[in-house]
């Protein structure tokens, strides 16, 4: 509505019957979120997304025990995530993405009265594109959680991906990309058979590529820009029936690109740039959905492709482009 000014003054606490506050997408709304919001004891929904609120998230939010939905994304909020949010036992969604929040993920302990690990009913935890730091605590996850979406991408997290993540069998989307995570991918991640969106790209992960063969629901996979051991393409490249997008740029992959990958019925995009593949045979059963295959800067010197493939193929920076295909659009 183009609202302008400050919303959270001392008077808001007098609106004691409010169950919903939704002023989202009014970038002219500024100021801090007042501690007096704790007087709105009947509040179920708090939607402040896409405004220009600044300052810290008040601890007093933890007093609103009936809250089921908090969206403060795309503001100018700073400071830490208050552990008091863990007292919101009925919370279904917490979205603090696209702010300037700093510090670690709060976890419950004998000295605190809250922590994100206590949000057992929460299904969506969106904390991406902040400045959060420290490790991802193993205590954050348990088999009692109901999480479907975990978005921690675009922060400054370090350390390893905790094994306990594999306990949350309800997960459907996991995004940990654009951090500085190290170590190997936990082997029990393969237990998350409901995950359709897995993005671990742009970290510092090492060791073997993870085994994703049991994750038959996967639609989107991004493991690019890590430091995995050199290897041939894993088996799951050809066995994920719902795969739509595969991104393994800078994946230390070598050998021949598996032919069966291109016959996956839902496949639309394949990005395998900056690897060490030396051969490509796309076979004669190419998915009708396939629009893009990017193999720029590999070692491909042998190519077999059916004329019926009408999508885009990028081979620039491969040895094959210095020979008979030098003038092909695939090499430009």
């Amino acid at each position: 509505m183009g609202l302008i000014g400050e919303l959270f003054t001392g008077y808001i606490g007098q609106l004691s019957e409010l169950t919903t506050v939704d002023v989202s997408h009014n970038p002219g709304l500024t100021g801090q979120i007042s501690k007096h919001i704790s007087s709105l004891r009947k509040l179920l929904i708090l939607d402040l997304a896409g405004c220009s609120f600044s300052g810290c998230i008040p601890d007093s939010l933890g007093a609103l025990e009936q809250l089921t939905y908090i969206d403060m994304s795309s503001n100018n909020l700073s400071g830490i995530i208050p552990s008091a949010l863990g007292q919101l036992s009925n919370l279904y969604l917490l979205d603090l993405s696209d702010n300037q929040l700093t510090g670690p993920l709060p976890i419950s302990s004998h000295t605190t009265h809250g922590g994100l690990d206590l949000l057992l009913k929460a299904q969506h935890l969106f904390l991406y594109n902040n400045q959060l730091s420290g490790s991802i605590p193993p205590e954050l996850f348990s088999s009692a959680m109901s999480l479907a979406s975990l978005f921690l991408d675009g922060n400054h997290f370090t350390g390893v991906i905790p094994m306990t993540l594999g306990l949350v069998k309800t997960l459907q989307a996991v995004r940990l990309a654009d951090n500085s995570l190290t170590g190997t991918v936990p082997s029990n991640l393969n237990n998350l058979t409901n995950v359709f969106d897995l993005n671990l790209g742009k970290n510092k992960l090492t060791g073997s590529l993870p085994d994703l063969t049991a994750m038959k629901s996967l639609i989107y996979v991004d493991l690019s820009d890590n430091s995995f051991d050199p290897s041939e393409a894993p088996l799951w490249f050809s066995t994920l029936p719902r795969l739509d997008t595969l991104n393994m740029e800078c994946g230390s992959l070598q050998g021949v690109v598996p032919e069966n990958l291109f016959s996956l019925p839902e496949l639309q995009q394949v990005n395998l740039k900056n690897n060490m593949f030396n051969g490509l045979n796309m076979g004669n059963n190419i998915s009708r959905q396939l629009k893009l295959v990017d193999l720029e800067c590999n070692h491909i010197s042998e190519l077999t492709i059916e004329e019926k493939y009408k999508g885009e193929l990028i081979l620039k920076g491969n040895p094959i482009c210095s020979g008979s295909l030098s003038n092909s659009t695939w090499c430009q």
Side-chain angles (χ1 to χ4, degrees):
M1 293 182 63
L3 300 176
I4 297 173
E6 295 191 10
L7 174 70
F8 292 103
T9 66
Y11 297 109
I12 195 169
Q14 298 178 25
L15 303 175
S16 57
E17 297 299 311
L18 276 179
T19 59
T20 298
V21 172
D22 184 353
V23 293
S24 57
H25 307 293
N26 284 285
L29 287 178
T30 60
Q32 298 191 8
I33 302 172
S34 170
K35 63 181 181 180
H36 296 291
I37 196 173
S38 62
S39 298
L40 306 179
R41 296 292 179 150
K42 296 185 179 181
L43 199 63
L44 300 174
I45 295 172
L46 178 62
D47 193 344
L48 311 178
C51 298
S52 299
F53 295 114
S54 58
C56 297
I57 300 171
D59 285 346
S60 56
L61 266 180
L64 303 180
E65 298 177 353
Q66 296 190 52
L67 268 176
T68 62
Y69 186 103
I70 297 177
D71 189 348
M72 299 181 178
S73 62
S74 301
N75 280 279
N76 300 312
L77 298 172
S78 57
I80 64 170
I81 298 174
S83 60
L85 294 183
Q87 299 172 22
L88 303 176
S89 58
N90 293 308
L91 204 62
Y92 167 82
L93 178 144
L94 176 61
D95 190 346
L96 306 177
S97 60
D98 287 308
N99 280 288
Q100 293 140 35
L101 300 172
T102 56
L105 297 174
I107 299 300
S108 62
S109 69
H110 64 281
T111 59
T112 61
H113 298 290
L116 300 183
D117 54 309
L118 301 179
L119 299 178
L120 300 183
K121 291 184 180 179
Q123 295 193 24
H124 306 287
L125 184 58
F126 301 135
L127 304 178
Y128 59 91
N129 292 346
N130 279 285
Q131 299 168 31
L132 301 170
S133 59
S135 62
I136 301 175
E139 299 86 356
L140 178 61
F141 307 111
S142 71
S143 58
M145 302 189 86
S146 305
L147 269 183
S149 304
L150 175 69
F151 291 7
L152 302 180
D153 44 317
N155 282 285
H156 303 310
F157 291 118
T158 56
V160 302
I161 300 173
M163 287 281 290
T164 51
L165 181 62
L167 300 176
V168 190
K169 301 293 182 65
T170 51
L171 277 169
Q172 298 178 18
V174 177
R175 297 185 184 178
L176 306 179
D178 293 291
N179 283 288
S180 296
L181 298 172
T182 56
T184 60
V185 178
S187 58
N188 67 347
L189 211 66
N190 201 26
N191 296 337
L192 304 180
T193 55
N194 293 314
V195 169
F196 64 82
D197 182 340
L198 179 64
N199 190 346
L200 307 180
K202 297 183 180 178
N203 279 291
K204 299 178 180 178
L205 299 171
T206 57
S208 303
L209 277 174
D211 179 11
L212 307 181
T213 50
M215 302 175 74
K216 300 298 185 184
S217 298
L218 277 172
I219 295 174
Y220 180 93
V221 177
D222 189 340
L223 299 176
S224 60
D225 293 293
N226 282 286
S227 300
F228 294 118
D229 296 338
S231 68
E232 294 189 348
L235 177 64
W236 54 264
F237 264 35
S238 306
T239 61
L240 299 177
R242 299 181 61 195
L243 192 63
D244 171 305
T245 300
L246 173 63
N247 190 352
M248 278 288 296
E249 183 176 348
C250 299
S252 300
L253 296 169
Q254 56 194 17
V256 177
V257 183
E259 176 182 333
N260 291 341
L261 169 64
F262 304 105
S263 63
L264 294 175
E266 304 297 326
L267 193 67
Q268 295 188 31
Q269 295 189 39
V270 175
N271 177 10
L272 298 174
K273 291 197 300 187
N274 296 303
N275 282 286
M276 298 176 287
F277 287 114
N278 56 28
L280 173 65
N281 180 359
M282 296 184 68
N284 55 12
N285 190 27
I286 300 173
S287 168
R288 295 181 179 179
Q289 309 294 325
L290 191 59
K291 298 181 178 68
L292 171 65
V293 177
D294 191 344
L295 284 159
E296 181 180 342
C297 294
N298 276 269
H299 299 164
I300 294 173
S301 57
E302 298 181 10
L303 171 67
T304 304
I305 184 172
E306 292 291 320
E307 291 184 5
K308 66 180 181 180
Y309 175 61
K310 303 300 181 184
E312 185 177 4
L313 175 62
I314 302 175
L315 294 174
K316 182 171 60 175
N318 284 275
I320 198 169
C321 285
S322 62
S324 58
L325 290 181
S326 57
N327 295 320
S328 168
T329 56
W330 299 337
C331 294
Q332 303 304 313

